[in-house]
Amino acid sequence: MPLTRRTVLTAMVAAPVLAPAGTAVAAGHQAPHAAALVAEGGAGALLNAQNRFDLRAQPVDLFGREIPLKQGRVHQQVSFDPVTGLAYVTQLISDGRRLADETAVLPDGERGRRGDLCVNEVAPDGTVRAVMYLRGVGHGGGLGVEHVDGRPWLWLETDATPVSDGFAYGKRIGRVAFTPDAIVDAGSSLIEVYDPVPGSAGVTPSLDVAHGRIGVRHGAPGTEEYRVYDLAAFKARTFTALYSFPARYRTQAWCLYGDLVYQNEGGAYSATNPRPGNSWWNVYDITTGQIIERSFNTTALDLSHRETEAITVRQTPNGPQLVFGFATQETGPRQMALYGITSTTDGTGDHVPWTPLDYDVATYKPNSDNYVPQYRQLGNRIDLHLRVSRVNGAAWTNGETILTLPPHIRPNRTQGMVGQITGSGVTDSLTVRWEVLTDGSLRIFDQRGFTGWIGLDAGYFTS
């Protein structure tokens, strides 16, 4: 989609502090009626519209281009100083980089195995103004910025346990003042340490300054959980969660804002993940722990390398803005592209647009412009709409593949649907069986060998 340039805005706009929209729900102890509310779309309607960004809106390009950071590695998370508007971005220190107090270059991969981060301070034009190095803290998947006494303070993971293979992740939350060119090690007195879930792993924070809250994601893969705390109480080391609920889906980054958690997922383009890729948004209502929206992210599909990373909310003169990004450049130093959505929705109504599907125009023709094959997606449900005839008027064959669905709307198992057929020349049932397969094949099954049009107005679930 076309994207216009938008500069990083620096003014902070006060946002109303929202009271919790419900009572705290402990993980695994959901209120009995919550699932029913979500199924009907009711939970989203309870949320303040200023908290829910319209993921169907066209995003703007914050820098107008892909920008380089100080390290060649993939950026992990971004956060903005609520007063100055400067962006802060985490990434692992590159292999081959020797810091000022180091006597030798570390072996390749050692930075990741130890959890050595670089934090970039980025100006509105995309220029890196300064950097700070934090060794032994983690992978950088969580980041928040608080402005206190004229200085930006970073909230991020810390106290990573080194590993022999892969990446080290923090076990606790750290708060440290951003200091240009500083080199700070985990365990330093310069880092304030908070341990809200003792003994946990993979701990990352998200700061919601506008509503006075902090979120924590923690747990081993497959057992992750979100917890939300009052920020003032958290600073006083009173770790009583306002809300807690299990995380779902693999996450690249996440953020807390108001009564919602926004989570993104997805990998880079590859032979097994071709365009349009597998980038998704998942939106949780923290008061119920339920996912109220799961949407496919179609932003910047034309990037040559598009790896889902980073998501946060910043304040602008036009109101809060959801900022998200992709790591770009497959070869050479990775770069960062950031996009923003300011439009909000109250979650009511179904205004999901229909998207055309590719089909063989030499073989099939729609009955009219109203019946061109198309789909729309709401969460993990896909609705299909079409009515087509054979161009040559030949009979339909049993098991015929009409078209192939794009990867992001293919189901994880074969699903059946019932469609319609022309009444002309047919004396028995006017229905036909359709199936959608995991490879995206949309097929019809009927042994009557009839001619005329076939139609489908039905849906299925991707998972």
Side-chain angles (χ1 to χ4, degrees):
M1 66 175 62
L3 293 169
T4 58
R5 177 181 174 89
R6 182 162 179 143
T7 58
V8 178
L9 302 171
T10 60
M12 176 181 179
V13 174
V17 176
L18 303 182
T23 56
V25 179
H29 295 82
Q30 177 182 307
H33 66 285
L37 283 172
V38 172
E40 297 170 5
L46 297 176
L47 301 174
N48 187 301
Q50 199 167 26
N51 280 8
R52 185 158 179 193
F53 295 95
D54 186 355
L55 301 181
R56 300 181 301 271
Q58 179 174 305
V60 293
D61 187 338
L62 265 63
F63 298 113
R65 68 187 194 284
E66 303 164 40
I67 66 169
L69 300 170
K70 283 300 181 183
Q71 309 300 310
R73 306 295 292 271
V74 168
H75 75 280
Q76 298 296 322
Q77 182 59 303
V78 62
S79 188
F80 291 82
D81 186 311
V83 174
T84 68
L86 294 172
Y88 293 84
V89 186
T90 58
Q91 57 180 166
L92 287 173
I93 299 174
S94 294
D95 289 334
R97 298 287 177 89
R98 181 170 66 87
L99 302 187
D101 65 344
E102 295 172 343
T103 59
V105 174
L106 297 178
D108 285 355
E110 187 67 11
R111 296 293 189 186
R113 294 189 291 267
R114 297 187 349 169
D116 293 354
L117 295 182
C118 172
V119 181
N120 301 259
E121 182 183 72
V122 183
D125 65 356
T127 303
V128 177
R129 290 163 41 107
V131 296
M132 179 180 184
Y133 299 100
L134 297 163
R135 292 183 298 211
V137 295
H139 197 62
L143 181 65
V145 180
E146 182 185 23
H147 195 97
V148 179
D149 296 331
R151 301 185 68 184
W153 287 74
L154 310 176
W155 290 79
L156 72 175
E157 63 192 287
T158 191
D159 297 347
T161 299
V163 295
S164 58
D165 186 47
F167 301 108
Y169 296 90
K171 303 187 295 293
R172 301 176 185 88
I173 302 299
R175 178 177 182 265
V176 61
F178 180 83
T179 306
D181 298 322
I183 302 171
V184 179
D185 291 302
S188 166
S189 61
L190 296 176
I191 302 178
E192 299 174 7
V193 178
Y194 300 84
D195 194 9
V197 193
S200 191
V203 180
T204 57
S206 177
L207 202 62
D208 181 5
V209 174
H211 302 98
R213 290 174 174 174
I214 184 172
V216 173
R217 179 185 167 102
H218 74 96
T223 65
E224 295 94 343
E225 179 190 55
Y226 289 110
R227 296 188 182 187
V228 179
Y229 303 86
D230 176 81
L231 180 57
F234 192 94
K235 283 184 170 183
R237 292 181 169 76
T238 299
F239 302 126
T240 302
L242 303 174
Y243 306 102
S244 59
F245 52 95
R248 307 179 197 178
Y249 302 104
R250 179 179 178 269
T251 183
Q252 290 295 92
W254 68 280
C255 68
L256 168 70
Y257 189 73
D259 288 335
L260 300 177
V261 159
Y262 293 87
Q263 171 187 295
N264 62 14
E265 62 171 303
Y269 291 146
S270 66
T272 57
N273 181 36
R275 299 173 191 271
N278 60 357
S279 184
W280 290 81
W281 282 303
N282 303 304
V283 185
Y284 297 78
D285 175 354
I286 69 171
T287 68
T288 65
Q290 293 296 304
I291 290 181
I292 60 172
E293 184 173 1
R294 177 168 164 79
S295 298
F296 187 71
N297 186 346
T298 60
T299 306
L301 295 176
D302 58 345
L303 288 173
S304 60
H305 182 84
R306 180 178 178 269
E307 185 172 352
T308 306
E309 301 286 352
I311 189 167
T312 190
V313 174
R314 66 169 184 153
Q315 302 297 328
T316 81
N318 294 325
Q321 183 181 59
L322 182 71
V323 176
F324 60 95
F326 302 97
T328 68
Q329 304 297 324
E330 185 173 7
T331 59
R334 299 297 177 87
Q335 296 187 20
M336 176 180 73
L338 292 182
Y339 306 89
I341 293 174
T342 305
S343 300
T344 58
T345 175
D346 62 6
T348 59
D350 180 5
H351 305 292
V352 179
W354 290 93
T355 301
L357 288 164
D358 292 331
Y359 64 98
D360 184 356
V361 296
T363 304
Y364 309 109
K365 61 179 180 180
N367 282 17
S368 71
D369 290 343
N370 293 328
Y371 292 106
V372 172
Q374 53 192 308
Y375 78 93
R376 67 179 180 181
Q377 178 179 359
L378 187 63
N380 67 342
R381 178 180 169 84
I382 307 298
D383 293 319
L384 299 177
H385 172 72
L386 60 90
R387 187 175 291 183
V388 296
S389 304
R390 276 187 164 277
V391 171
N392 62 7
W396 297 97
T397 59
N398 189 45
E400 184 171 341
T401 297
I402 307 302
L403 54 81
T404 301
L405 301 171
H408 68 277
I409 61 170
R410 296 174 184 175
N412 62 2
R413 62 185 182 280
T414 297
Q415 297 196 39
M417 296 167 288
V418 176
Q420 314 85 37
I421 65 171
T422 179
S424 176
V426 178
T427 58
D428 52 2
S429 174
L430 298 182
T431 62
V432 64
R433 176 175 173 78
W434 293 76
E435 283 189 358
V436 55
L437 281 60
T438 57
D439 65 359
S441 299
L442 182 63
R443 299 179 179 178
I444 59 166
F445 291 88
D446 194 284
Q447 297 176 331
R448 290 174 288 180
F450 64 89
T451 60
W453 59 261
I454 58 172
L456 180 63
D457 284 284
Y460 63 92
F461 293 93
T462 56
S463 60

